[in-house]
Amino acid sequence: PCVIESTMDMKDPLAASVWNKPSRYTKVFFPVEMHEEYRHPTDDLPEHVEEELSERGFTNREAMAWYYDQLINAMDGDEIAMKREYPQTVEDAFSVASGRWFATTPKETKPLHVRRVDSRDGTQQWRVEYWQHPEDTRGQFLIGVDVAKGGGGDNSVVAAIDKADGSIVATWTHNRADRDELARVAFEVHRSLDAEVSLRRQEGAHAPSRPEVIVEMNGYGTPVWEALIDAGVTPVKLHTGSREETRNFTILGETRRFVDSGVAYGPALLVEECNKLHRPVSDDGETKGFRGPKDLSMALGFAYTHLRTHPYLPPPGPKINPALIYDSASDAPPRPRGRGGW
């Protein structure tokens, strides 16, 4: 027999190559659950963890409890590292392990507030989750819109960030909403954040601009852009070019920067994308393309990409008359301090 450890350095993807290529070998994969020493009491096994691990092929609850205990205490919650070290499936060992895009797994939190937006025909309510209260931010916002077909595949996403630090303010995702409904949700998120900007202006605070909406022009984005124009919002077109891999690399790179720095966190979907999005390693060691869910990461990336060229502008400080700045160390009458005898 030929025995190959699957947790080797994936820069030298021998295990994946031997497993995936047709050969005369009979291939046998040993899941982590087969190791009888990997058992733990089930008292602290959360129900949702048991459900997730069952979907991944686990059948023994004590094995699930051991896996969860290792994930939290030995791997600091890093699901990708856990899958690579203790794979339950071939996908755990190879597909996800090859070329993970995000270096860290962001913290998952519960939304502070949920706002429901009625659909156009009134038969459904869209759930917009707010991860911080707009009044607790600096009052400058960017809203990224990722447009999908709406046929049950990829998600359409609206994601709002605080320009001051890049933190996530609000998100909405759905895989069956059409583009009119997507534009409707984007408009409502814009309106809720614009209300905060208007309130600050009324109170005399510095609020230099209304929230900006960034819509990707990918062939599906034009109807959304036009619907927002009709609603009174002037969105920004993000032309990403014809090369999909280059586009994704640039935009997802911006999201990765904020996730890996610990700024972007909150939605469970973001945690899932960070754990599953990867760049597969080919037999010759090259990486190409992306695999795994990335819709929320793309919407955030649209906002982060726009932030690079339209950064947060802090409010101006109070105007100070230089004649009122005195040298308190002198016993002489106070004199203005500054260049040229001031």
Side-chain angles (χ1 to χ4, degrees), residues 101 238-240 243-257 279 290 297-298 300-302 304-306 308:
W101 180 244
L238 180 63
H239 295 281
T240 52
R243 294 189 59 191
E244 181 178 357
E245 183 178 357
T246 301
R247 174 201 69 179
N248 291 349
F249 187 91
T250 301
I251 293 172
L252 291 172
E254 291 298 319
T255 303
R256 180 174 64 178
R257 188 161 62 93
R279 304 192 73 198
F290 289 89
S297 299
M298 289 293 288
L300 289 169
F302 300 153
Y304 292 137
T305 299
H306 191 70
R308 288 185 67 91

Side-chain angles (χ1 to χ4, degrees), residues 81-147:
M82 190 67 188
K83 288 179 179 179
R84 290 187 61 172
E85 189 68 24
Y86 303 105
Q88 175 67 11
T89 65
V90 173
E91 182 180 5
D92 289 350
F94 302 131
S95 297
V96 177
S98 303
R100 173 173 176 171
W101 180 244
F102 291 94
T104 59
T105 299
K107 178 175 62 175
E108 179 181 345
T109 61
K110 293 183 179 180
L112 297 180
H113 172 68
V114 174
R115 184 174 181 222
R116 301 188 184 278
V117 177
D118 290 331
S119 61
R120 186 173 56 255
D121 58 8
T123 61
Q124 189 168 356
Q125 287 188 321
W126 307 118
R127 177 187 170 96
V128 180
E129 298 178 327
Y130 285 78
W131 305 95
Q132 50 184 316
H133 297 298
E135 60 267 25
D136 295 333
T137 68
R138 301 294 179 84
Q140 297 183 35
F141 308 102
L142 293 175
I143 304 169
V145 180
D146 184 34
V147 188

Side-chain angles (χ1 to χ4, degrees), residues 193-208:
L193 299 179
D194 194 36
E196 175 63 25
V197 173
S198 299
L199 180 61
R200 296 192 185 199
R201 284 178 172 168
Q202 293 173 9
E203 295 174 347
H206 177 73

Side-chain angles (χ1 to χ4, degrees), residues 227-279:
L228 287 171
I229 289 287
D230 292 341
V233 177
T234 305
V236 178
K237 292 182 179 180
L238 180 63
H239 295 281
T240 52
S242 58
R243 294 189 59 191
E244 181 178 357
E245 183 178 357
T246 301
R247 174 201 69 179
N248 291 349
F249 187 91
T250 301
I251 293 172
L252 291 172
E254 291 298 319
T255 303
R256 180 174 64 178
R257 188 161 62 93
F258 283 89
V259 168
D260 290 348
S261 65
V263 172
Y265 62 88
L269 179 59
L270 182 62
V271 175
E272 178 186 357
E273 291 184 358
C274 290
N275 285 334
K276 293 183 177 180
L277 185 62
H278 60 285
R279 304 192 73 198

